[in-house]
Amino acid sequence: MVSNICKRFAVIGNPIEHSLSPFIHESFAKQVGVQVQYDRILTFSDNFSTTLYEFFKQGGTGVNITLPFKETAYLLVENCTARARDAGAVNTIYLDKQGHLYGDNTDGIGLRRDLEKNLRVNLNDKKILLIGAGGAAKGIAGALLCGNPYSLTIANRTVTKAENLVTQLQSFLAPCHSDILGGGLELAIQQDYDIVINASSQGFMGNSPTEFKVKVGGLAYDLSYGIHSRAFLDFAASKGARAVDGLGMLIEQAAEAFFCWHGVFPETCFLLSSMRTATSN
Ligand code: NAP
């Protein structure tokens, strides 16, 4: 049921000033006729938990969590959805009926909707390379496997984190028929991939996280957007790949979070095309 009371929401992360989440949630709210105040909150590892608890103590209704706190947020919530538990990472939090912190992860469904609905990409039988093994990678890896790819290769700077993610995926996706492999960044050049997904935060330094091999006409998708995705997308385009940033995923994961909080699913296509036009000018 849609309410007239102005509720408070926020996105918590570091860095945070670039975040488009306030604009997206305010646009959805206008579209469905609810009143929201949605802020950006910058915090640091030492006081992330205090920031989170304080927001809800002061009457906040829901938060999104962004880098680098999704895995810490998972440890702080008292209960969560199955998809957040499988990911071991949380990007959406609200209070349950008992007033306890309840976590969800909408990154995986957001990416799948952008790939399949907006970009018309079919994951079935594809060789997928996932670069990164942080909170975002954990959120999307299970959803990618649900698309039944031929293989999922996870390449990360810290090798143990990629290996741990593979073990985690194998433990909850027992009937999955895809090959799952994890290791260092050298895996990115081991074969030509159909789809390469960059879930590393290296774009914030202005670089692509690694060289990678992608088939001509394949898809290279960067979870980040705007200037932070530039180096990765330029490299992909130079290899003849279709290069796409994470704006569509950002909007789709936000729509799913909006649904968790307000019980109504906003229309996303119009917002995506208007934001694409605005960011390309
Ligand atoms: P995170 O938990 O901090 O993880 C960062 C990842 O990047 C780790 O795998 C890390 O490797 C890797 N990395 C960092 N610096 C690197 C470097 N110099 N070279 C190679 N790898 C490096 O962050 P996150 O929450 O997963 O977010 C990752 C990215 O996804 C961010 O750009 C975020 O904005 C984006 N994102 C977008 C959406 C969307 O809706 N479009 C949603 C979620 C996230 P180590 O393990 O070795 O440290």
Side-chain angles (χ1 to χ4, degrees), residues 104-155:
D104 196 357
N105 193 314
T106 66
D107 281 341
I109 185 79
L111 176 63
R112 283 286 300 277
R113 286 205 185 114
D114 192 35
L115 291 176
E116 294 176 348
K117 179 176 75 114
N118 301 333
L119 301 169
R120 310 260 175 222
V121 172
N122 186 350
L123 302 180
N124 188 50
D125 228 19
K126 299 292 191 306
K127 291 180 180 170
I128 302 180
L129 169 68
L130 173 60
I131 303 171
K138 286 178 156 185
I140 64 176
L144 290 171
L145 285 171
C146 290
N148 208 22
Y150 178 83
S151 61
L152 177 66
T153 302
I154 301 170

Coordinates of all heavy atoms in Angstrom, one line a residue, residues 104-155:
D104 N 18.7 -7.8 2.2 CA 18.5 -8.4 1.0 C 19.6 -8.1 0.0 O 20.5 -7.2 0.3 CB 17.1 -7.9 0.4 CG 16.6 -8.7 -0.7 OD1 17.3 -9.7 -1.1 OD2 15.5 -8.4 -1.3
N105 N 19.7 -8.8 -1.1 CA 20.7 -8.4 -2.1 C 20.0 -8.4 -3.5 O 19.6 -9.4 -3.9 CB 21.9 -9.4 -2.1 CG 23.0 -8.9 -2.9 OD1 22.8 -8.4 -4.1 ND2 24.2 -9.0 -2.4
T106 N 19.9 -7.2 -4.0 CA 19.2 -7.0 -5.3 C 20.1 -6.9 -6.5 O 19.7 -6.6 -7.6 CB 18.2 -5.8 -5.2 OG1 19.0 -4.6 -5.1 CG2 17.3 -5.9 -4.0
D107 N 21.4 -7.0 -6.2 CA 22.4 -6.8 -7.3 C 22.2 -7.9 -8.4 O 22.3 -7.6 -9.6 CB 23.8 -6.9 -6.8 CG 24.3 -5.6 -6.2 OD1 23.6 -4.5 -6.4 OD2 25.2 -5.6 -5.4
G108 N 22.1 -9.2 -8.0 CA 22.0 -10.3 -9.0 C 20.8 -10.1 -9.9 O 20.9 -10.2 -11.1
I109 N 19.6 -9.9 -9.3 CA 18.4 -9.8 -10.1 C 18.5 -8.6 -11.0 O 18.0 -8.5 -12.1 CB 17.1 -9.8 -9.2 CG1 15.9 -9.8 -10.0 CG2 17.1 -8.7 -8.2 CD1 15.5 -11.2 -10.6
G110 N 19.1 -7.5 -10.4 CA 19.3 -6.3 -11.2 C 20.1 -6.5 -12.4 O 19.8 -6.0 -13.5
L111 N 21.2 -7.2 -12.3 CA 22.1 -7.5 -13.4 C 21.4 -8.4 -14.4 O 21.4 -8.1 -15.6 CB 23.4 -8.1 -13.0 CG 24.3 -8.6 -14.1 CD1 24.8 -7.3 -14.9 CD2 25.5 -9.4 -13.6
R112 N 20.7 -9.4 -13.9 CA 20.0 -10.3 -14.9 C 19.0 -9.6 -15.7 O 18.8 -9.8 -16.9 CB 19.3 -11.5 -14.1 CG 20.2 -12.6 -13.6 CD 20.7 -13.5 -14.7 NE 19.7 -14.2 -15.4 CZ 19.1 -15.4 -15.0 NH1 19.5 -15.9 -13.8 NH2 18.2 -16.0 -15.7
R113 N 18.2 -8.7 -15.0 CA 17.2 -7.9 -15.7 C 17.8 -7.0 -16.8 O 17.3 -6.9 -17.9 CB 16.3 -7.1 -14.8 CG 15.4 -8.0 -14.0 CD 14.2 -7.2 -13.5 NE 13.4 -8.1 -12.6 CZ 13.2 -7.9 -11.3 NH1 13.7 -6.9 -10.7 NH2 12.5 -8.8 -10.6
D114 N 18.9 -6.4 -16.4 CA 19.6 -5.5 -17.4 C 20.1 -6.3 -18.6 O 19.8 -6.0 -19.8 CB 20.7 -4.7 -16.8 CG 21.1 -3.6 -17.7 OD1 20.3 -3.0 -18.5 OD2 22.3 -3.3 -17.8
L115 N 20.7 -7.5 -18.3 CA 21.3 -8.3 -19.4 C 20.1 -8.8 -20.3 O 20.2 -8.7 -21.5 CB 22.1 -9.4 -18.9 CG 23.4 -9.1 -18.2 CD1 24.1 -10.3 -17.6 CD2 24.4 -8.4 -19.1
E116 N 19.2 -9.4 -19.7 CA 18.2 -10.2 -20.4 C 17.0 -9.4 -21.0 O 16.6 -9.5 -22.1 CB 17.6 -11.3 -19.5 CG 18.7 -12.3 -19.2 CD 18.4 -13.5 -18.3 OE1 17.3 -13.4 -17.7 OE2 19.1 -14.4 -18.2
K117 N 16.5 -8.4 -20.1 CA 15.4 -7.6 -20.5 C 15.8 -6.4 -21.4 O 15.3 -6.2 -22.5 CB 14.6 -7.1 -19.3 CG 13.4 -6.3 -19.6 CD 12.7 -5.9 -18.3 CE 13.4 -4.9 -17.4 NZ 12.8 -3.6 -17.2
N118 N 16.8 -5.7 -20.9 CA 17.2 -4.4 -21.6 C 18.2 -4.7 -22.8 O 18.1 -4.1 -23.8 CB 17.9 -3.4 -20.6 CG 16.9 -3.1 -19.5 OD1 15.7 -3.1 -19.6 ND2 17.5 -2.7 -18.3
L119 N 19.1 -5.6 -22.6 CA 20.2 -5.8 -23.6 C 20.0 -7.0 -24.4 O 20.7 -7.3 -25.4 CB 21.6 -5.9 -22.9 CG 22.0 -4.7 -22.1 CD1 23.2 -5.0 -21.2 CD2 22.2 -3.5 -23.0
R120 N 18.9 -7.8 -24.1 CA 18.6 -9.1 -24.8 C 19.8 -10.0 -25.0 O 20.1 -10.5 -26.1 CB 18.1 -8.7 -26.2 CG 17.0 -7.6 -26.2 CD 15.7 -8.3 -26.4 NE 14.6 -7.2 -26.3 CZ 13.5 -7.4 -25.6 NH1 13.2 -8.5 -25.0 NH2 12.6 -6.4 -25.5
V121 N 20.5 -10.2 -23.9 CA 21.6 -11.1 -23.9 C 21.2 -12.4 -23.2 O 20.6 -12.4 -22.1 CB 22.8 -10.5 -23.1 CG1 23.9 -11.5 -22.9 CG2 23.3 -9.3 -23.8
N122 N 21.5 -13.5 -23.8 CA 21.1 -14.8 -23.3 C 22.4 -15.4 -22.7 O 23.4 -15.6 -23.3 CB 20.6 -15.7 -24.4 CG 20.0 -17.0 -23.9 OD1 20.2 -17.4 -22.8 ND2 19.4 -17.7 -24.8
L123 N 22.3 -15.9 -21.4 CA 23.5 -16.4 -20.7 C 23.7 -17.9 -21.0 O 24.8 -18.4 -20.8 CB 23.4 -16.2 -19.2 CG 23.2 -14.8 -18.7 CD1 23.1 -14.7 -17.2 CD2 24.4 -13.9 -19.2
N124 N 22.7 -18.5 -21.5 CA 22.7 -20.0 -21.7 C 23.9 -20.4 -22.6 O 24.1 -19.9 -23.7 CB 21.4 -20.4 -22.4 CG 21.3 -21.9 -22.4 OD1 21.6 -22.6 -21.4 ND2 21.1 -22.5 -23.6
D125 N 24.7 -21.3 -22.0 CA 25.9 -21.9 -22.8 C 27.0 -20.9 -23.0 O 27.9 -21.3 -23.9 CB 25.4 -22.5 -24.1 CG 25.9 -24.0 -24.2 OD1 26.3 -24.5 -23.2 OD2 26.0 -24.4 -25.4
K126 N 27.0 -19.8 -22.4 CA 28.1 -18.8 -22.7 C 29.3 -19.1 -21.7 O 29.1 -19.5 -20.6 CB 27.6 -17.4 -22.4 CG 26.4 -17.0 -23.3 CD 26.9 -16.9 -24.8 CE 25.8 -16.2 -25.7 NZ 24.5 -16.8 -25.7
K127 N 30.5 -18.7 -22.2 CA 31.6 -18.7 -21.3 C 31.8 -17.3 -20.7 O 32.0 -16.3 -21.4 CB 32.9 -19.0 -22.2 CG 32.9 -20.4 -22.7 CD 34.1 -20.7 -23.5 CE 34.0 -22.2 -23.9 NZ 35.1 -22.5 -24.9
I128 N 31.6 -17.2 -19.4 CA 31.5 -15.9 -18.7 C 32.8 -15.7 -17.9 O 33.2 -16.7 -17.1 CB 30.3 -15.8 -17.8 CG1 29.0 -16.0 -18.6 CG2 30.3 -14.5 -17.1 CD1 27.7 -15.9 -17.8
L129 N 33.4 -14.6 -18.0 CA 34.5 -14.2 -17.1 C 34.0 -13.1 -16.1 O 33.4 -12.1 -16.6 CB 35.6 -13.6 -17.9 CG 36.8 -12.9 -17.1 CD1 37.5 -13.9 -16.3 CD2 37.7 -12.2 -18.0
L130 N 34.1 -13.3 -14.8 CA 33.7 -12.3 -13.8 C 35.0 -11.8 -13.2 O 35.8 -12.6 -12.6 CB 32.8 -13.0 -12.8 CG 32.4 -12.2 -11.6 CD1 31.7 -10.9 -12.0 CD2 31.5 -13.0 -10.6
I131 N 35.3 -10.6 -13.3 CA 36.5 -10.0 -12.7 C 36.1 -9.3 -11.4 O 35.3 -8.4 -11.4 CB 37.2 -8.9 -13.7 CG1 37.5 -9.5 -15.0 CG2 38.4 -8.3 -13.0 CD1 37.9 -8.5 -16.1
G132 N 36.7 -9.8 -10.3 CA 36.4 -9.3 -9.0 C 35.8 -10.4 -8.1 O 35.1 -11.3 -8.7
A133 N 35.9 -10.2 -6.8 CA 35.3 -11.2 -5.9 C 34.9 -10.5 -4.6 O 34.9 -11.1 -3.5 CB 36.3 -12.3 -5.6
G134 N 34.6 -9.2 -4.7 CA 34.1 -8.4 -3.6 C 32.6 -8.5 -3.4 O 32.0 -9.5 -4.0
G135 N 32.0 -7.6 -2.7 CA 30.6 -7.6 -2.4 C 29.7 -7.7 -3.6 O 28.7 -8.5 -3.7
A136 N 30.0 -6.9 -4.7 CA 29.2 -7.0 -5.9 C 29.3 -8.3 -6.6 O 28.3 -8.9 -7.0 CB 29.6 -5.8 -6.8
A137 N 30.5 -8.8 -6.7 CA 30.7 -10.1 -7.4 C 30.0 -11.2 -6.7 O 29.3 -12.0 -7.4 CB 32.2 -10.4 -7.5
K138 N 30.0 -11.2 -5.4 CA 29.3 -12.2 -4.6 C 27.8 -12.1 -4.9 O 27.1 -13.1 -4.9 CB 29.5 -12.0 -3.1 CG 30.9 -12.5 -2.7 CD 31.1 -12.2 -1.2 CE 32.1 -13.1 -0.6 NZ 32.2 -12.9 0.8
G139 N 27.3 -10.9 -5.0 CA 25.9 -10.7 -5.2 C 25.4 -11.2 -6.6 O 24.2 -11.6 -6.8
I140 N 26.3 -11.1 -7.6 CA 25.8 -11.4 -9.0 C 26.2 -12.8 -9.4 O 25.6 -13.3 -10.4 CB 26.3 -10.4 -10.0 CG1 27.9 -10.4 -10.1 CG2 25.8 -9.0 -9.7 CD1 28.4 -9.5 -11.2
A141 N 27.2 -13.5 -8.8 CA 27.7 -14.7 -9.3 C 26.6 -15.8 -9.3 O 26.5 -16.5 -10.3 CB 28.9 -15.2 -8.4
G142 N 25.8 -15.9 -8.3 CA 24.8 -16.9 -8.2 C 23.7 -16.7 -9.3 O 23.2 -17.6 -9.9
A143 N 23.4 -15.4 -9.5 CA 22.4 -15.0 -10.5 C 22.9 -15.4 -11.9 O 22.1 -15.8 -12.8 CB 22.0 -13.6 -10.4
L144 N 24.2 -15.2 -12.1 CA 24.7 -15.5 -13.5 C 24.6 -17.0 -13.7 O 24.3 -17.5 -14.8 CB 26.2 -15.1 -13.5 CG 26.5 -13.6 -13.6 CD1 27.9 -13.3 -13.5 CD2 25.9 -13.0 -14.9
L145 N 24.9 -17.8 -12.6 CA 24.9 -19.3 -12.8 C 23.4 -19.8 -13.0 O 23.2 -20.8 -13.7 CB 25.5 -20.0 -11.6 CG 27.0 -19.9 -11.5 CD1 27.5 -20.4 -10.1 CD2 27.6 -20.7 -12.6
C146 N 22.5 -19.0 -12.5 CA 21.1 -19.4 -12.8 C 20.7 -19.3 -14.2 O 19.7 -19.8 -14.7 CB 20.1 -18.5 -11.9 SG 20.2 -18.9 -10.2
G147 N 21.5 -18.5 -15.0 CA 21.3 -18.4 -16.5 C 21.9 -19.5 -17.2 O 21.8 -19.5 -18.5
N148 N 22.4 -20.5 -16.5 CA 22.9 -21.8 -17.1 C 24.0 -21.6 -18.2 O 24.0 -22.1 -19.3 CB 21.7 -22.5 -17.8 CG 22.0 -24.0 -17.8 OD1 22.8 -24.5 -17.0 ND2 21.4 -24.7 -18.8
P149 N 25.1 -20.8 -17.8 CA 26.2 -20.6 -18.7 C 27.0 -21.9 -18.9 O 26.9 -22.8 -18.0 CB 27.0 -19.5 -18.1 CG 26.8 -19.7 -16.6 CD 25.3 -20.1 -16.5
Y150 N 27.8 -22.0 -19.9 CA 28.7 -23.1 -20.1 C 29.7 -23.1 -19.0 O 30.0 -24.2 -18.4 CB 29.4 -23.0 -21.5 CG 30.4 -24.1 -21.7 CD1 30.0 -25.3 -22.3 CD2 31.8 -23.9 -21.5 CE1 30.9 -26.3 -22.5 CE2 32.7 -25.0 -21.7 CZ 32.2 -26.2 -22.2 OH 33.1 -27.2 -22.4
S151 N 30.3 -21.9 -18.7 CA 31.3 -21.8 -17.6 C 31.2 -20.4 -17.0 O 30.8 -19.5 -17.6 CB 32.7 -22.1 -18.1 OG 33.0 -21.2 -19.1
L152 N 31.7 -20.4 -15.7 CA 31.9 -19.1 -15.0 C 33.3 -19.1 -14.4 O 33.6 -20.0 -13.6 CB 30.8 -18.9 -13.9 CG 31.0 -17.6 -13.1 CD1 30.8 -16.4 -13.9 CD2 30.1 -17.6 -11.9
T153 N 34.1 -18.2 -14.9 CA 35.5 -18.1 -14.4 C 35.6 -16.8 -13.6 O 35.3 -15.7 -14.1 CB 36.5 -18.0 -15.6 OG1 36.3 -19.2 -16.4 CG2 37.9 -17.9 -15.1
I154 N 36.0 -16.9 -12.4 CA 36.1 -15.8 -11.5 C 37.6 -15.4 -11.3 O 38.4 -16.2 -10.8 CB 35.5 -16.0 -10.1 CG1 34.0 -16.4 -10.4 CG2 35.6 -14.8 -9.2 CD1 33.3 -16.9 -9.1
A155 N 38.0 -14.2 -11.8 CA 39.4 -13.8 -11.7 C 39.5 -12.6 -10.7 O 38.8 -11.6 -10.9 CB 39.9 -13.4 -13.1

